[in-house]
Amino acid sequence: MASERPSTPPPPPAPHKSDLLPGSPLTPEQVKRIEINRLKAKALRDQREAEARKQNGAPSLKRSDSSNLAAGQKRAHSAISATNVPATLRDGRSGKESAKNGTFRPLDEIQPARNFTKYVEYDFSKMTDTKGGFLTVEDDPQNKALYTPSAEDKPAHMTLKEWERHQLLRSLRERKEGPFEPGLSVLKREENKTCRECGSLEIDWKWDEIFGCAICNSCKEKFPEKYSLLTKTEAREDYLLTDPELKDEELLPHLERPNPHKSTWNNMMLFLRYQVEEYAFGKKWGSAEALDEEFNRREKDKKRRKEDKFKSKLQELKKKTRVDAYRRSRKAGGGGGGFGDDIGGGGKHTHTWGRAVENDEGVGVKTCVDCGMEVEELEF
């Protein structure tokens, strides 16, 4: 019998799905090994890719290449370096000199928010410890509420000598003295202003500008009854002028001066005495006697109103006292009565004196709060 050549047996037929048994679930140990192998394979792949990049040189990756990187892989420094900026990059900082030189720092381009634009950095090592929790004017010059620069402060760009000269020139300009004094014409002597008292040419130009009064300094001291200055309070109380009249510069011009009592108060308003008297005596009251009569009338009215007010309060006090006395008598069982009658039905009446009140003659009078009897009281 001829020998038969061996052949591979055919594969067994695949079993039907219904004949398969369900596989057993993975055990925790198997899951752990699978995860460890996956992490090892990932680490080996990252190591091989890093070696390949190191051998071939660090390629310049575009920003769009970041999506092709594997999870957990960092971009190369060349991808974010400012030296290799692509032409299609829409970044306004790429055209700056710092970006081209490679010295660009992101923090230098960050702008503060609007609420923090007035941030001031303080050096606490150079500040004065006030032990009160606040900053002084010298330590906090940026505080506008605490430090308000005034015109009297010397500017930083000026020396002390230049500042003193500037102050002197400003004072002379305000007083119209020295080089700022109006010139006198020799050819037109009739147009030159002279003193109204002595005819001198050395007049006070400041008074001439404000009051319209040409007067020299010597005549001001010589005639104080005409050329002295009155305050607003003196003009209102002595000449009985109103505030609208004193504030009208066309009617009564005034000179303003800083308040000597406190610099933060309003400036003083100074009036020329003869101008106030001309208006008060000539236009408003007619004469000095009429002003005195009006002053006496107002003083009498003031005194009368004060007395009426005192009497009205005294009457209210008497009424209240009598009502209280009547209530006490009613409570005690009495019905009240006339003058001299017993009040309260308790037999002998005992006076209850009130406070001593001066009558029109200046004598103190006490009144019984129960019966109304009055007794004069003399003090020695």
Side-chain angles (χ1 to χ4, degrees), residues 172 175-178 181 193-208 211 213-229 255 257 272:
L172 294 176
R175 299 195 306 266
K176 289 190 174 183
E177 297 178 358
E181 183 177 356
K193 292 184 179 181
T194 58
C195 177
R196 56 184 296 174
E197 296 291 342
C198 64
S200 174
L201 296 175
E202 300 294 334
I203 65 173
D204 191 336
W205 296 101
K206 187 69 174 179
W207 278 37
D208 180 62
F211 296 116
C213 175
I215 190 72
C216 62
N217 294 326
S218 59
C219 291
K220 284 193 295 185
E221 298 177 358
K222 187 177 180 180
F223 303 101
E225 67 278 1
K226 293 178 60 177
Y227 303 107
S228 59
L229 297 176
L255 177 67
R257 285 286 183 267
L272 200 55

Side-chain angles (χ1 to χ4, degrees), residues 40-61:
K40 287 182 178 180
K42 183 178 178 181
L44 290 174
R45 184 190 63 184
D46 295 343
Q47 183 178 1
R48 292 171 185 172
E49 291 179 356
E51 292 177 357
R53 287 197 300 269
K54 187 176 181 181
Q55 293 176 0
N56 300 332
S60 60
L61 298 178

